[in-house]
Amino acid sequence: MGSVETALDIQGLSFGYGDRPILTDVSVQIPAGKLTVLLGRNGSGKSTLLRLLAGLLPVKHGRITLMGHDMHRLSAAEKARIIGFMPQQHRAVFPFAVEDVVLTGRAGHVRLLPRREDMEKALQALEQVGISHLQGRPFTELSGGEQQMVMIARVLAQEPQIVMLDEPTSHLDFINQARLLTLIRQLVSTPLTVLVVLHDPNSAFLYGDHFIFLKNGRIELLESGESPWDRCVLERIYDTPMHTLPYGDRAIVVPQDPAGR
Amino acid sequence: MNKLLLRYTLYILPLPVVFISLVLGPAVSARQLFDWFVEWSLRRPPDEAVNRDLLRAVLWDVRLPRVLLTLLVGGALAAAGNSLQALFRNPLVSPYILGLSAGAAFGAALAVTIPWLPVQLAAFVFALLAVALSYYLARTNKTVSTVSLILSGVIVSGIFTALLTIVQFLTDPFKLQTIVQWTMGNLHNASWDKLQSAALGIAVGVIWLFLFRWRMNVLAMGDDETRAVGLNPEHQRLLVLIPATLAASAAIAVAGVIGLLGLAIPHMVRMMLGPDNRYTLPASFTFGGAFLLIVDTCSRSVAQFEIPVGVFTTLLGGPFFIFLLKKARIGWEA
C-alpha cells in the first residue's frame, strides 16, 4: 500500500456547486519528492482541486489516497501532519510578531498551549526560509514578498510531508517571484513533495519537475511524444496561438498578439 | 524586557487598586481604617471612641463585596471582548457592539418579571442567541466582513432593546424601577449574594477562555489558515464563543449594561503588550477589573451623588470607538 513513488493518488474526483460542475472525473498521481505544478486558465478548477486535496473542501465523489492512507479515514489533525497548505494570500488583522504567526503552524501538534519545542520548530522554519532576522517584526509591516516567506515558514513549522501552495507568487513583483520559486525548489530536496498552482507556465517550466494541466475541470493528458512546453500542448490548454522560444532543454512561451506577429 | 515588566505590572495592577478602593469613600475615612489596623496589629487595647462595628460593617459588608464584584465584572467584560475580537478577526467588536449586552439585558429583565426563571440562565441564553444572530446575519458567502458584523450587531441590539422596552412597559412600577436602574449599569447595590450569583459563571467562562487563549491566536489567522493546520474553525469559534458569552452575560446579569469597556480595554492592552492572546487575555482581565474599579471608585467618591458606572464607561468608550474607526488601518477594508 505505502507506495513511495506516489504521494497522492486521485481517482475519479468530481466536484461542483449545485448544478455547476467545477471538476469532472479527475484521476491523476502526484509523484513523491518532486515539484509538481498545476497549470490551467482561470476557472479551470486548479484552486478547487488543490483545496480538495488539502482537505479544505469536502470530497463527495472520488477517492484520494494520501501517502498510502485513505484520506477519508484521516482526522483533520492527522491530515494536517501530512499536508501543509498555504492559502493564496494571507490577510492579517492583528499585528502579530512573525514568530507568533509561524508558531500557529504547530496547532496540529499542540493541545492547548505550544511548548518550548514548538517554538524551536518555528524558529528552525524561519531559519530554513532564511528570514530569521524578521522573527520579532509585526507581520502587518512586512512587504508582500516577506509575508509570503513567513507563510511558507508557517507551513514548514507544521512539519508536513506534502506542501501545497495556491498561487504563492500572484501578488509578488518580478524579483520576489523568482526568490520564492527558488525557495520552493529548494524545499523539494529536503525531501518534501510540493504541489503548487501557478499562473505562469514559464516559471512552471523553469522550476517544476512534473506538470498537470487542467482545462474546464478535466485533466488534459499529453499524447505520447508530447512535452509540456510544446506549442501545440499550450495552445490546446490556453486556447491561444503561441510562440515558443527554445530555452535549454525546455522552452519559453509567449502568446501571439492579435496582429499575429 | 520592558514589555515583560509592563505585562507583570498589568497582572498585579488590581492589588493596589483594590487597596485604595477599600480605604476610599464616605462614612469611614482612610485615617480611621489605618488607626484600626495599627490597633489590631499591635494588639493595643481598643480605643473606646472608635466604633469598630461600623468599621467592620462598612469594610466587610459594603466595600469588599462591591470591590470584588467590580473587579470580576470589569475583568469578565474585558476578557470576553478580547476573545470576541480574536475569534471574529475584528478589532471593533465587543459584547456591547455584537448585541450580547442587549440580549443579556433582555434575558435578565425577563427573569425579573418571571419569578421562576433564573436570571443568570436567562441572560446567558439570550446573550448567546443575540451573538449568534449578529454573526449569521452578517455572514454572506461564508465570509463576515468587519463592517457588516457591526451593522448586524446594531440591528440585533435594537431588536433586544425593543423587547426590553416591552418588558418594561408590561411590568409593574416597582419592578420597572429595578430594571431601569439596572440597565444603566450599576454596582452600588453589590452584596455578597450578588457576588455569589455572578462568580460561578464568570469564573468558569474566564478560566475556559484562559485555557483556550493560544487557540485564539490560531483563529485570528483566518478560516483557511486554521483549517490548514488541522483545526475546524467553526468548532473552535464555538469553543471560544460559549465561554466568552458565559462570562459577559454573568457580569451583565448582575451589574447591568456597562458599555464599551469590553471594546476599549483589549485595545489598550494590545497597544501595550502586542496582539499575542496568551498575554492579552489575562492582562485584559486584570486591567479591565482594575479599570472598572477605578471608574467605580471615582463615581462613588467624586460627586455627592452616584453616577451609574455604565454611563461613565460609555461616555469614555464612545470617543474611543470613533477614534479606532477613524484610524485608517481598522475597519473598512472588507
Side-chain angles (χ1 to χ4, degrees):
Chain A
M1 281 294 288
S3 156
V4 195
E5 289 84 31
T6 306
L8 271 163
D9 186 5
I10 301 140
Q11 292 298 333
L13 186 66
S14 296
F15 187 81
Y17 293 107
D19 286 342
R20 197 164 57 95
I22 308 282
L23 290 174
T24 317
D25 196 24
V26 169
S27 297
V28 70
Q29 279 88 37
I30 313 288
K34 293 266 165 64
L35 173 51
T36 301
V37 187
L38 270 171
L39 287 163
R41 294 186 59 169
N42 281 343
S44 59
K46 308 183 295 274
S47 289
T48 306
L49 178 57
L50 201 70
R51 294 174 72 83
L52 282 164
L53 297 181
L56 269 72
L57 288 172
V59 175
K60 286 172 190 147
H61 305 285
R63 244 184 84 176
I64 300 174
T65 312
L66 191 62
M67 304 300 284
H69 306 281
D70 186 351
M71 194 163 106
H72 232 73
R73 301 230 177 113
L74 296 176
S75 73
E78 284 169 331
K79 247 183 279 179
R81 287 182 204 163
I82 302 179
I83 297 177
F85 175 78
M86 185 171 124
Q88 259 189 35
Q89 200 197 9
H90 177 59
R91 277 195 314 113
V93 176
F94 299 103
F96 279 104
V98 163
E99 55 185 353
D100 289 327
V101 172
V102 176
L103 190 59
T104 60
R106 301 290 302 164
H109 302 261
V110 166
R111 281 177 68 93
L112 283 173
L113 283 182
R115 285 169 299 182
R116 187 188 296 269
E117 61 250 44
D118 293 307
M119 196 61 194
E120 278 163 12
K121 293 273 198 285
L123 297 181
Q124 273 170 25
L126 282 174
E127 201 177 309
Q128 195 182 344
V129 178
I131 50 168
S132 293
H133 57 286
L134 299 178
Q135 187 185 337
R137 293 265 304 278
F139 182 86
T140 43
E141 287 173 19
L142 302 181
S143 72
E146 289 170 328
Q147 289 190 342
Q148 290 297 71
M149 296 285 203
V150 173
M151 294 314 281
I152 288 193
R154 182 178 185 260
V155 171
L156 294 180
Q158 199 175 332
E159 296 187 301
Q161 293 166 288
I162 306 171
V163 169
M164 298 187 185
L165 309 138
D166 193 2
E167 294 178 14
T169 56
S170 55
H171 297 276
L172 302 185
D173 69 19
F174 188 55
I175 293 303
N176 277 318
Q177 285 192 14
R179 281 198 187 132
L180 197 76
L181 288 166
T182 308
L183 173 71
I184 292 168
R185 180 70 242 171
Q186 285 163 359
L187 294 181
V188 178
S189 59
T190 52
L192 268 174
T193 303
V194 180
L195 178 61
V196 55
V197 169
L198 289 178
H199 272 310
D200 177 13
N202 289 323
S203 347
F205 299 149
L206 276 175
Y207 294 92
D209 299 311
H210 184 73
F211 309 94
I212 295 171
F213 294 104
L214 272 169
K215 190 179 176 184
N216 299 328
R218 290 173 191 273
I219 297 282
E220 190 78 20
L221 290 171
L222 300 187
E223 282 157 34
S224 62
E226 279 183 333
S227 301
W229 41 85
D230 284 350
R231 202 178 78 179
C232 54
V233 173
L234 293 163
E235 288 182 341
R236 205 159 76 216
I237 302 300
Y238 293 101
D239 288 321
T240 309
M242 299 272 184
H243 282 306
T244 53
L245 315 164
Y247 178 87
D249 62 338
R250 298 185 175 182
I252 301 285
V253 195
V254 195
Q256 278 181 22
D257 66 24
R261 274 176 294 175
Chain B
M1 268 299 98
N2 223 342
K3 237 174 200 175
L4 202 68
L5 187 70
L6 199 57
R7 199 195 299 162
Y8 285 101
T9 309
L10 285 181
Y11 289 168
I12 60 161
L13 187 65
L15 294 177
V17 178
V18 162
F19 180 75
I20 292 165
S21 183
L22 278 176
V23 288
L24 282 182
V28 172
S29 71
R31 180 67 212 234
Q32 280 172 299
L33 285 170
F34 180 73
D35 288 345
W36 185 40
F37 179 73
V38 169
E39 175 197 301
W40 172 79
S41 56
L42 298 181
R43 304 202 174 279
R44 283 210 195 123
D47 186 345
E48 294 302 321
V50 180
N51 183 347
R52 274 171 295 125
D53 288 340
L54 174 71
L55 283 179
R56 190 178 288 120
V58 166
L59 209 60
W60 182 256
D61 297 333
V62 179
R63 286 193 196 160
L64 192 59
R66 178 166 183 168
V67 162
L68 292 179
L69 186 70
T70 308
L71 208 58
L72 280 184
V73 165
L77 289 173
N82 179 306
S83 315
L84 294 171
Q85 288 171 7
L87 93 105
F88 290 119
R89 304 185 77 217
N90 188 335
L92 291 180
V93 303
S94 72
Y96 192 69
I97 308 254
L98 284 173
L100 191 160
S101 298
F106 168 70
L110 203 62
V112 169
T113 56
I114 304 173
W116 52 264
L117 195 63
V119 178
Q120 292 283 338
L121 181 71
F124 172 68
V125 168
F126 283 101
L128 197 59
L129 185 69
V131 184
L133 262 178
S134 297
Y135 179 65
Y136 284 102
L137 280 179
R139 209 164 112 122
T140 44
N141 295 327
K142 291 196 167 184
T143 57
V144 178
S145 84
T146 309
V147 175
S148 68
L149 188 60
I150 292 166
L151 291 180
S152 70
V154 168
I155 294 164
V156 170
S157 281
I159 292 170
F160 279 102
T161 309
L163 292 173
L164 177 65
T165 312
I166 295 176
V167 173
Q168 290 176 345
F169 191 72
L170 295 178
T171 196
D172 63 74
F174 178 70
K175 283 178 178 166
L176 178 64
Q177 199 193 356
T178 317
I179 295 175
V180 169
Q181 278 258 335
W182 167 88
T183 49
M184 285 191 287
N186 244 315
L187 291 155
H188 74 234
N189 44 11
S191 62
W192 287 109
D193 282 347
K194 288 213 160 187
L195 185 64
Q196 208 178 18
S197 80
L200 183 68
I202 292 179
V204 170
V206 169
I207 290 170
W208 186 345
L209 289 175
F210 182 74
L211 292 174
F212 276 74
R213 65 198 190 281
W214 187 71
R215 290 268 174 93
M216 295 176 200
N217 282 8
V218 181
L219 271 176
M221 292 287 125
D223 280 11
D224 277 354
E225 285 81 352
T226 302
R227 209 170 267 124
V229 292
L231 296 177
N232 182 332
E234 301 290 334
H235 295 171
Q236 298 300 320
R237 250 200 288 279
L238 270 184
L239 283 176
V240 176
L241 184 62
I242 289 171
T245 306
L246 181 63
S249 68
I252 292 161
V254 72
V257 179
I258 295 178
L260 298 176
L261 186 88
L263 171 82
I265 298 295
H267 267 283
M268 295 184 197
V269 169
R270 270 201 297 270
M271 281 174 195
M272 290 184 271
L273 302 183
D276 189 341
N277 292 294
R278 281 177 294 174
Y279 310 123
T280 61
L281 189 94
S284 285
F285 180 77
T286 55
F287 186 56
F291 184 88
L292 190 62
L293 194 50
I294 292 169
V295 172
D296 183 56
T297 308
C298 291
S299 86
R300 71 177 156 84
S301 46
V302 170
Q304 287 295 310
F305 54 93
E306 254 198 59
I307 305 159
V309 70
V311 176
F312 242 121
T313 58
T314 309
L315 285 178
L316 291 173
F320 192 77
F321 181 79
I322 294 165
F323 161 74
L324 289 176
L325 204 59
K326 285 283 177 191
K327 233 174 54 170
R329 295 201 22 212
I330 294 175
W332 302 106
E333 70 280 358

